[in-house]
Amino acid sequence: MEQQPVTMSDVARAAGVSVTTVSYVLSGKRPVAPATTEAVQAAVARLGFRLNTVAQSLRTGRSSTAALIIPDIANPFYAELARGLQDALRRERLHVVICNTNADRAEELSYLDDVVRRRLDGVVITPQWLVTDDLDPLRAAGIPVVVSADTELSDLDVVRADSREAIDQAVAHLAERGHRRLGMVAGPTGTPNGDPRLALYRAAARRHGLALPADLVVRGKHTREAGAAALRRMMSRAQPPTAVVCVNDRSAIGVLEAAEDTGLRIPSDLALIGHDDIEVASLTRPRLSTIRYPAYEVGSTCGRLLLERLDGRVDPVEVALRTRFVPREST
Amino acid sequence: MEQQPVTMSDVARAAGVSVTTVSYVLSGKRPVAPATTEAVQAAVARLGFRLNTVAQSLRTGRSSTAALIIPDIANPFYAELARGLQDALRRERLHVVICNTNADRAEELSYLDDVVRRRLDGVVITPQWLVTDDLDPLRAAGIPVVVSADTELSDLDVVRADSREAIDQAVAHLAERGHRRLGMVAGPTGTPNGDPRLALYRAAARRHGLALPADLVVRGKHTREAGAAALRRMMSRAQPPTAVVCVNDRSAIGVLEAAEDTGLRIPSDLALIGHDDIEVASLTRPRLSTIRYPAYEVGSTCGRLLLERLDGRVDPVEVALRTRFVPREST
DNA sequence: ATGAAAGCGCTAACAC
DNA sequence: GTGTTAGCGCTTTCAT
């Protein structure tokens, strides 16, 4: 048998006070006589009362829940990011709902809509296809948004990677080892991480005298399968690359596997560099060289910004987290 | 400037009908004249109305949100499980909040409490320290719980691994290769996965004539560090093992790394078997042999059970997912 | 086919 | 220091 939940007025009755007093005992937002406090607490304990957060939310307009909108929680990068975010938001007892979009624009929009309907307190999003205007409904509703992406976004809190130096080092590293033809497994066109990273690689390649020809830039999803397919495509070119850089570690792992299958040895036949340095990257053999972008820290930084914003900060903030080139056996 | 949210009575006024009608147009729970429907929909669109889910929840007592209570979303096993759960719950437009407990009992309890306060619709939990009684408040509140664990639990929906055969095969495999002394990196004592698995290994070892002495059973967390420490401890025994089985893949990876550091070659000096088969397990070199327990499927099964329960099923269901021994290079 | 009105359980003026 | 009361925005019963 399912019991009636105990409400605040039950507690009030049991303690011989008004609901107001019960509310204030619980919130501490106004002084209450010690004896009263005690009586209320006793009643709360005796009846097993738990405040109904839904009613509280309706009244206050705050749900103490934030949304994290990402392509896929099963991608270790986002899982680590989620962990960082949750740890940062825990102090304020904020819950986090995870929204997996599969990098699909319709899903991204649908979750944003959900956020408004549910009056969530804030959103952290790693957008794949969204444009700034898509966030208008959130602005209108006064819901803070923190974006994690490498693109320029006006008037928003942004956490992004500053990979200029790291990419330059990586390319220099390749140049030193005699590489002259670079291939890149980039993200889908128009995606907020792929394009900026590609641009950085282009610039670095130019600086260090490497070619990065258009037919060696392969677009695709951030998956192992896409990485493997990309490599096969590159190697079928008239002039295949001697070194490949990947938009993230998952695709780099795909490249690694496809290379193995083809009998290509890494790094002797092909140098390989990933991005992100998820935990797995250190487990592959040969070890994956990578541009390290610490996911946990990205998440906790997003959380910090969100909390500040909820606390009343109004000016948008942009945080650039410096990435680091981690050479390993594979270059 | 933050706008006033548009409410249902705004829509009603704009459409020249009552809120009742607006509500019914939206829910479709009673017939409405086509002309009226149209007028309402037009008003909804024109004003950009979004139903306030919080108010709806307060009224109906359902929040269309479920909680997933796990030790750590950054552990790939749980991330994959989470993905499976979310995909299963998406059809019903249920949100999932992720609760990381760090395998801490107090955190587990605190999140359960949260669930009741927030009137969440259901819980999926992979308990580490909870006992059945801890779930009483949820029963009282009529909140369905689905448990993912290998322990016996009365009167609850449970998804568990049936590893009897797989473990027997794994041990037989070791026996065939001449192993006689087995070590085990088990989970913490009293934990719902470690103990049953240990018992299965004990039984299988007995059947196949392998020793699994008490001083080669090392308890610890499900982490790489714990796995590494466990191996060092085992190897310092007077009679070290020739084969090691691990309660999960993460600890197996730790063992792998510690073995490398010690100069032990796997599998020639030491055979190694993990559990779970998270994506990473296929990336290590030597490849990790493992008892495969498909996390995604665990999650989606939990989701299915939860939905059924929300739909009115009352009898508890136990689903045993058969695991499979996947021998790879490391045994 | 539609509407009036009573809450769901809380918070926070505004009294006293 | 404490209480009365008016909502927050919906759903749903009961009328019409």
Side-chain angles (χ1 to χ4, degrees), chain A residues 50 83 86 100 102 280, chain B residues 50 83 86 100 102 113 280:
Chain A
R50 294 151 202 265
R83 193 58 158 91
Q86 300 197 303
N100 297 118
N102 301 318
V280 257
Chain B
R50 295 150 201 263
R83 193 58 159 91
Q86 300 198 303
N100 297 117
N102 300 319
D113 197 64
V280 257

Side-chain angles (χ1 to χ4, degrees), chain A residues 279-296:
Chain A
E279 195 186 357
V280 257
S282 61
L283 292 175
T284 58
R285 188 67 48 77
R287 290 217 156 86
L288 217 47
S289 297
T290 167
I291 309 283
R292 177 160 168 66
Y293 185 41
Y296 183 93

Side-chain angles (χ1 to χ4, degrees), chain B residues 181-203:
Chain B
R181 272 186 96 64
L182 196 58
M184 178 162 185
V185 181
T189 314
T191 259
N193 288 327
D195 289 347
R197 287 182 188 174
L198 176 56
L200 289 174
Y201 275 108
R202 283 224 166 88

Side-chain angles (χ1 to χ4, degrees), chain B:
Chain B
M1 289 306 77
E2 185 168 326
Q3 306 161 26
Q4 278 311 303
V6 180
T7 75
M8 223 156 99
S9 42
D10 296 330
V11 175
R13 201 170 317 113
V17 297
S18 73
V19 287
T20 308
T21 300
V22 176
S23 176
Y24 281 116
V25 167
L26 264 41
S27 70
K29 287 188 182 170
R30 93 180 179 190
V32 175
T36 317
T37 302
E38 213 166 299
V40 169
Q41 284 168 342
V44 165
R46 184 154 37 83
L47 303 181
F49 167 75
R50 295 150 201 263
L51 206 157
N52 181 329
T53 319
V54 177
Q56 191 179 41
S57 295
L58 177 59
R59 191 48 236 246
T60 62
R62 308 204 38 185
S63 55
S64 47
T65 304
L68 172 62
I69 305 183
I70 51 179
D72 179 14
I73 190 68
N75 176 331
F77 181 81
Y78 294 114
E80 287 171 26
L81 190 156
R83 193 58 159 91
L85 177 68
Q86 300 198 303
D87 286 350
L89 296 186
R90 241 179 82 221
R91 289 185 271 114
E92 303 297 323
R93 303 196 59 82
L94 282 176
H95 275 198
V96 176
V97 310
I98 307 283
C99 310
N100 297 117
T101 66
N102 300 319
D104 178 72
R105 178 170 153 82
E107 296 265 25
E108 292 187 317
L109 288 172
S110 144
Y111 278 120
L112 285 180
D113 197 64
D114 253 11
V115 165
V116 178
R117 298 181 124 78
R118 290 174 183 254
R119 301 296 188 270
L120 298 192
D121 293 340
V123 179
V124 172
I125 182 167
T126 58
Q128 304 298 307
W129 301 107
L130 291 184
V131 297
T132 312
D133 289 354
D134 293 326
L135 299 173
D136 282 348
L138 300 203
R139 290 167 174 284
I143 300 175
V145 177
V146 176
V147 170
S148 157
D150 290 3
T151 24
E152 311 283 314
L153 286 166
S154 49
D155 248 18
L156 276 175
D157 289 338
V158 178
V159 176
R160 62 175 187 78
D162 172 4
S163 299
R164 209 176 171 295
E165 275 183 49
I167 286 179
D168 193 80
Q169 281 173 28
V171 173
H173 183 91
L174 294 173
E176 276 168 30
R177 277 160 182 68
H179 293 281
R180 289 294 169 262
R181 272 186 96 64
L182 196 58
M184 178 162 185
V185 181
T189 314
T191 259
N193 288 327
D195 289 347
R197 287 182 188 174
L198 176 56
L200 289 174
Y201 275 108
R202 283 224 166 88
R206 205 171 314 122
R207 275 196 297 280
H208 296 283
L210 273 82
L212 177 46
D215 71 337
L216 290 186
V217 174
V218 182
R219 302 298 195 140
K221 295 186 183 168
H222 297 3
T223 62
R224 282 160 75 166
E225 293 69 29
L231 180 74
R232 285 191 291 269
R233 194 132 130 228
M234 286 180 192
M235 298 318 287
S236 72
R237 300 294 185 211
Q239 307 197 44
T242 64
V244 171
V245 298
C246 299
V247 69
N248 79 339
D249 285 337
R250 288 190 132 188
S251 34
I253 288 167
V255 167
L256 201 64
E257 292 172 330
E260 256 179 11
D261 292 348
T262 329
L264 275 173
R265 308 232 358 197
I266 291 183
S268 48
D269 301 329
L270 185 75
L272 182 59
I273 295 178
H275 252 269
D276 293 344
D277 201 23
I278 51 183
E279 194 186 358
V280 257
S282 61
L283 292 175
T284 58
R285 188 68 47 75
R287 290 216 158 88
L288 216 46
S289 296
T290 167
I291 308 283
R292 178 160 166 67
Y293 185 42
Y296 183 92
E297 198 181 334
V298 175
S300 59
T301 305
C302 289
R304 225 191 55 224
L305 295 189
L306 193 56
L307 288 178
E308 284 177 11
R309 179 68 77 161
L310 291 172
D311 245 24
R313 174 172 56 71
V314 295
D315 308 325
V317 168
E318 180 183 309
V319 178
L321 296 175
R322 190 76 63 86
T323 63
R324 208 161 51 77
F325 174 49
V326 184
R328 295 209 184 93
E329 294 164 18
S330 74
T331 44

Side-chain angles (χ1 to χ4, degrees), chain A residues 84-132:
Chain A
L85 177 68
Q86 300 197 303
D87 287 349
L89 296 185
R90 243 178 81 222
R91 289 184 271 116
E92 303 297 322
R93 305 196 58 81
L94 282 176
H95 275 197
V96 175
V97 311
I98 307 283
C99 310
N100 297 118
T101 67
N102 301 318
D104 178 72
R105 178 171 153 83
E107 295 267 24
E108 292 186 317
L109 289 172
S110 145
Y111 278 119
L112 284 179
D113 197 62
D114 254 11
V115 164
V116 178
R117 298 182 124 77
R118 290 174 184 254
R119 302 295 189 271
L120 298 192
D121 292 341
V123 179
V124 172
I125 181 167
T126 58
Q128 304 297 308
W129 300 106
L130 291 183
V131 297
T132 312

